[in-house]
Amino acid sequence: MKFVSTAAAIAVALATVSVHSATTVTIETNAPGAVIHRNIYGQFMEHLGRGIYEGIWVGEDSDIPNTKGYRKDVVKALKELQVPLLRWPGGCFADEYHWQDGIGPRDKRKKTVNTTWGGVIDDNRFGTHEFMEFAEMLGAEVYINGNLGTGTPQEMAAWLEYMTSDSDSTLANLRRANGRKEPWKVDYFAVGNESWGCGGTMRPEYYADLYKHYATFLKTPADNQPVMIASGGHTEITDWTRTLLEQVPDVWSVRMQAISHHYYTLPTGDWETHGKALNFPASEWFSTMWQTLRMETFIKENIAIMDELDPDNKVGFYVDEWGTWFDAEEGDNPGFLYQQNSLRDALVAALNLNLFHKYARRIQMTNIAQMVNVLQAMILTDKEKMVLTPTYHVFKMYIPFQDATSLPVELKDAPQLTQGDKSIPAISASAAIAKDGNTYLALANTDPDKVQEIVLDAGKLRSASGELLTADAMDAHNTFANPNALVPTPYKVKAKDGRLTIKLPAKSVMVVKLK
Ligand code: AHR
């Protein structure tokens, strides 16, 4: 079966050029693509600002309602989000984290300085046991990022033994003495983070040697072998992917099963002045969309190298950090990377998720940065208050895509938005057959002013129903005082005369089930 739709859009806002065009959207239901791994919806939680302390962990004695130290409100919201995977403890923090500081009685744990993020004291109340218990509460898989930068192979190997060994070893018994009898399953393990930068300012060749060196000693029981991840490049960089695939042999002893890649969306593209989270100029709506869509080029160029050097698709390409990065909120510790989250972030989320679906054959995991109170967060907290962000709502709307089978979507003659010498498509779309057997369609309209009319040639289709996220203001957002200012609303349309017409509002995200 083929669903064919036509979108007509007349002009563009923000644009210096008006464009008249029509789009034909074809969903190839007869040519299913790769399965969209649920871990594309993975989350990242680092010891950074209020991401863990206050955002997740408040301790058992806190006045903030908690279960064994974990915030009740946050846990409930994350369960509803069906978070499939958690990455911890960093980020840059990972390469300075010594796991033994975070085990044993909490009041006796070492106090360390978080030199990367705000220079604050981390008293290590949240360590391996707390992280693993949190993941179990959410039913999420775990992705542990090892310390290559300031740790040794012995320390890394010992951490894995502590977590996974069911033997009578001293480390396994120490875990038991600290309250955990059974070994934990470690689903994913990375050797270092951003080794080109905060993880050690290395050359890819040097890192490839270190990866082999460390990985050789990372031994876990046969039934508890994490997927091993090498630290890769970022943004437009591809030489890490090439060097790693050329220099790390395809042998079990050093198995490299994925290469990580990072890309952050800055409205200005400038690390000195990123751009504001709210009250931004209209031009930065467009520039943010343009910057975020660069992701596709980075994915394509890295995948081209992988297809050349790993034609059997054995090695995954994991975008294990992505999302918006704005100027930190005024008055806050700039090292805490706290920022508001608006309708613009919702569009960024949808555009990236649609891309990850498209390249799901290689991209089997991504982690948005970061889950609570940091960068493009799902949740913001202020002491006992909590608010869900527009990005949270997009992730929730997209739940049917977890483990769904992607369907190729063709957008023909899509209307373009243009600003100066740059253009972007006004419509982004993704479709899949979900585990419930239904076909879902996700749509995003990047045009801040114009409705896009999507006409689905119904065939056997009778209706489209789901949810819509939109608002009048580009920076519409939720606050602690008004937490439901921007929430999804139900959307339903029925076929008429054999045609199904979806009116996709300006600056909106929609997910519908096609019946
Ligand atoms: O997510 C914040 C930081 O961004 C991470 O610690 C680091 O890996 C990246 O540079």
Side-chain angles (χ1 to χ4, degrees):
M1 187 172 37
K2 226 178 197 188
F3 302 148
V4 181
S5 73
T6 307
I10 301 188
V12 293
L14 280 185
T16 49
V17 179
S18 287
V19 182
H20 288 256
S21 88
T23 302
T24 301
V25 180
T26 306
I27 304 174
E28 292 285 355
T29 51
N30 285 334
V35 169
I36 298 165
H37 200 297
R38 64 185 176 285
N39 288 342
I40 280 179
Y41 289 81
Q43 298 282 337
F44 175 31
M45 49 186 280
E46 180 168 12
H47 288 237
L48 197 177
R50 292 180 292 277
I52 292 176
Y53 299 116
E54 184 191 308
I56 292 168
W57 177 263
V58 288
E60 285 148 337
D61 300 333
S62 171
D63 291 340
I64 298 173
N66 67 84
T67 308
K68 291 163 81 181
Y70 306 90
R71 289 182 75 118
K72 280 191 171 166
D73 51 358
V74 169
V75 168
K76 180 172 179 288
L78 293 175
K79 277 187 177 165
E80 287 168 8
L81 202 55
Q82 297 181 26
V83 173
L85 171 96
L86 295 168
R87 175 176 183 238
W88 173 84
C92 295
F93 180 81
D95 279 300
E96 290 188 287
Y97 183 62
H98 300 285
W99 66 272
Q100 292 201 329
D101 297 345
I103 58 168
R106 283 191 203 111
D107 57 351
K108 298 211 165 48
R109 293 188 192 169
K110 230 180 185 176
K111 288 189 167 57
T112 45
V113 183
N114 190 332
T115 56
T116 314
W117 303 120
V120 292
I121 292 292
D122 188 334
D123 61 12
N124 287 292
R125 303 188 299 285
F126 194 92
T128 303
H129 290 252
E130 289 75 16
F131 170 68
M132 290 298 202
E133 187 166 25
F134 180 56
E136 280 179 353
M137 285 169 102
L138 298 188
E141 288 195 303
V142 298
Y143 170 5
I144 305 269
N145 208 118
N147 175 353
L148 175 78
T150 63
T152 61
Q154 190 276 335
E155 181 184 0
M156 204 182 268
W159 196 8
L160 275 169
E161 182 185 333
Y162 182 85
M163 292 186 284
T164 64
S165 176
D166 202 15
S167 74
D168 191 28
S169 77
T170 301
L171 282 171
N173 284 326
L174 180 59
R175 183 195 67 236
R176 292 184 188 105
N178 286 332
R180 174 71 186 197
K181 190 166 165 258
E182 303 300 329
W184 290 291
K185 174 104 178 67
V186 177
D187 302 289
Y188 297 86
F189 191 87
V191 179
N193 166 74
E194 293 196 351
S195 300
W196 45 264
C198 66
T201 323
M202 301 174 192
R203 291 172 302 111
E205 294 79 6
Y206 179 64
Y207 173 79
D209 282 343
L210 284 184
Y211 176 85
K212 287 180 278 188
H213 177 176
Y214 278 59
T216 303
F217 299 102
L218 303 179
K219 298 167 191 167
T220 57
D223 60 352
N224 197 348
Q225 303 268 322
V227 173
M228 296 292 296
I229 304 167
S231 174
H234 68 98
T235 320
E236 70 274 22
I237 286 174
T238 54
D239 56 342
W240 281 70
T241 299
R242 180 170 289 286
T243 304
L244 284 165
L245 285 172
E246 281 175 350
Q247 299 194 5
V248 179
D250 179 14
V251 291
W252 182 249
S253 53
V254 296
R255 65 191 193 283
M256 180 181 74
Q257 293 158 297
I259 296 174
S260 94
H261 194 87
H262 294 176
Y263 175 54
Y264 284 99
T265 300
L266 279 58
T268 60
D270 175 358
W271 283 97
E272 291 300 312
T273 314
H274 303 201
K276 289 189 189 322
L278 302 177
N279 299 316
F280 47 83
S283 60
E284 287 186 8
W285 171 275
F286 177 93
S287 65
T288 304
M289 301 301 136
W290 184 83
Q291 291 286 355
T292 214
L293 286 166
R294 293 173 71 207
M295 178 74 92
E296 183 160 19
T297 309
F298 309 150
I299 292 171
K300 270 193 189 154
E301 289 177 352
N302 278 282
I303 289 181
I305 292 169
M306 298 183 88
D307 286 347
E308 174 197 332
L309 299 173
D310 172 40
D312 296 334
N313 206 49
K314 289 186 189 163
V315 181
F317 186 68
Y318 293 174
V319 186
D320 62 7
E321 287 185 30
W322 66 274
T324 54
W325 192 322
F326 305 128
D327 297 333
E329 190 135 302
E330 268 177 44
D332 206 14
N333 183 331
F336 284 5
L337 309 186
Y338 178 86
Q339 62 188 39
Q340 249 298 355
N341 192 295
S342 74
L343 179 58
R344 181 175 57 164
D345 295 76
L347 266 290
V348 166
L351 296 181
N352 281 283
L353 292 171
N354 289 350
L355 282 177
F356 299 149
H357 296 174
K358 185 171 168 187
Y359 296 95
R361 178 177 61 89
R362 273 291 172 188
I363 302 180
Q364 296 124 15
M365 181 213 283
T366 85
N367 298 275
I368 188 165
Q370 299 190 7
M371 191 161 65
V372 186
N373 286 336
V374 176
L375 299 175
Q376 191 175 349
M378 306 290 121
I379 294 174
L380 301 176
T381 66
D382 181 12
K383 302 188 185 71
E384 77 289 353
K385 287 176 262 173
M386 181 197 83
V387 69
L388 306 177
T389 67
T391 301
Y392 175 97
H393 293 303
V394 169
F395 268 63
K396 195 156 178 216
M397 289 161 70
Y398 271 69
I399 284 175
F401 287 93
Q402 292 192 21
D403 287 334
T405 302
S406 65
L407 296 171
V409 176
E410 198 192 323
L411 289 172
K412 209 164 150 226
D413 304 326
Q416 296 281 308
L417 293 188
T418 304
Q419 183 170 277
D421 59 356
K422 296 187 172 69
S423 290
I424 58 167
I427 301 166
S428 163
S430 179
I433 302 178
K435 285 186 295 180
D436 65 8
N438 290 300
T439 299
Y440 287 81
L441 174 65
L443 294 163
N445 181 0
T446 62
D447 192 317
D449 286 327
K450 301 288 177 195
V451 174
Q452 305 292 338
E453 199 169 88
I454 313 281
V455 181
L456 283 142
D457 186 351
K460 285 185 192 150
L461 287 177
R462 298 187 310 275
S463 66
S465 61
E467 287 189 317
L468 170 68
L469 190 72
T470 190
D472 289 340
M474 287 187 269
D475 66 349
H477 60 282
N478 296 324
T479 61
F480 299 108
N482 189 4
N484 295 319
L486 180 54
V487 292
T489 52
Y491 180 89
K492 178 154 187 166
V493 64
K494 287 189 177 156
K496 218 172 158 193
D497 303 328
R499 284 155 66 93
L500 198 57
T501 304
I502 292 175
K503 290 211 164 89
L504 190 61
K507 44 183 165 0
S508 69
V509 179
M510 179 186 283
V511 175
V512 283
K513 176 160 60 176
L514 303 176
K515 278 283 187 194

